[in-house]
Amino acid sequence: MAIALIGFLSGCQYEPDNVSLPSASFPTTEARTVSPLPEDADTGTVPLLPENGDIDAGTYLVLATGYTAPFEITVPDGWSSESGEVLGKNDPDHPGEGAVYVAWWPADYVSTDACEWVGALVKVDPSPMSFVDAMAAQKSTVSTPAVKVMVGDYSGFEFDHSVEGDVDITACDGDKLCIHASSAYQCSRWYSTQNEHETYRVVDLNGQRAVIWVAQYRPPINPELTREARAVFDSIVFTSDK
């Protein structure tokens, strides 16, 4: 099932079950539900991230679908939540148009060729390195070498991902480059223009993979927005019970 998200994701499709920044700049998902907070859980003073709508500036707790550890994320004013697994902000210079976003919906399958992706969505082993390798090997896109990072109490990898060369996206399956998906039959994250770029962090939650990315599209874009989106991305901290 594919739906077009409104607001800051206008023009981006998301089918869960569907920035970099200037150097590699920074959409697509089936509406998913954030895991409910256990009745005996204590979140302290950190509120849960609202699933939808505009949110106040502050730090929020995220209980992402399928993740064994929660994470905290800090956002400034002007950001909105979609489905509890995407945060985005519109470009003030182009009202109503999405500009940047941070997302973490599941990415269980990666296409071997982002252009000829129908029938080429392959399930990736749960290790972070398996996802990194699959993205690096993907045809029609390009990844920067992955570097090791710490995201709170957990280790992982970071890399940038973007369109390779002058790929004619209109000649691709479905007129899009399919990057990853939550099933073998429907694309969850795709590029529809040459301008879409992302930075990924792939975190090892004790053997379980968590994938988070920050994205920018529709340039030219205010560099302040890319810096702000990167700050939101960098604010993510997974915490363990230790």
Side-chain angles (χ1 to χ4, degrees), residues 31-199:
R32 302 188 68 85
T33 302
V34 174
S35 302
L37 184 67
E39 292 182 3
D40 59 350
D42 180 9
T43 64
T45 59
V46 181
L48 288 174
L49 178 72
E51 287 196 23
N52 292 288
D54 295 340
I55 58 177
D56 295 329
T59 297
Y60 294 91
L61 183 69
V62 178
L63 304 174
T65 300
Y67 289 0
T68 56
F71 64 84
E72 293 182 5
I73 188 168
T74 301
V75 297
D77 286 324
W79 285 70
S80 299
S81 174
E82 287 280 358
S83 302
E85 50 192 15
V86 187
L87 287 176
K89 186 171 184 177
N90 289 340
D91 186 343
D93 295 329
H94 301 278
E97 292 189 6
V100 290
Y101 74 96
V102 178
W104 50 87
W105 67 77
D108 299 324
Y109 294 77
V110 172
S111 61
T112 55
D113 187 331
C115 184
E116 299 178 359
W117 59 270
V118 174
L121 288 166
V122 178
K123 189 164 187 176
V124 180
D125 290 341
S127 73
M129 200 66 226
S130 294
F131 183 84
V132 171
D133 289 342
M135 293 284 277
Q138 187 176 73
K139 295 180 181 178
S140 304
T141 60
V142 61
S143 288
T144 58
V147 297
K148 291 183 177 181
V149 295
M150 290 297 298
V151 186
D153 295 333
Y154 297 91
S155 63
F157 299 93
E158 179 176 318
F159 63 92
D160 295 336
H161 202 69
S162 59
V163 181
E164 182 178 36
D166 57 354
V167 175
D168 181 5
I169 297 178
T170 62
C172 296
D173 294 341
D175 296 330
K176 59 192 177 188
L177 292 176
C178 180
I179 309 306
H180 53 73
S182 55
S183 81
Y185 308 105
Q186 294 181 319
C187 189
S188 299
R189 171 66 184 109
W190 64 81
Y191 301 160
S192 56
T193 73
Q194 290 275 347
N195 299 324
E196 296 178 59
H197 304 78
E198 306 165 294
T199 295

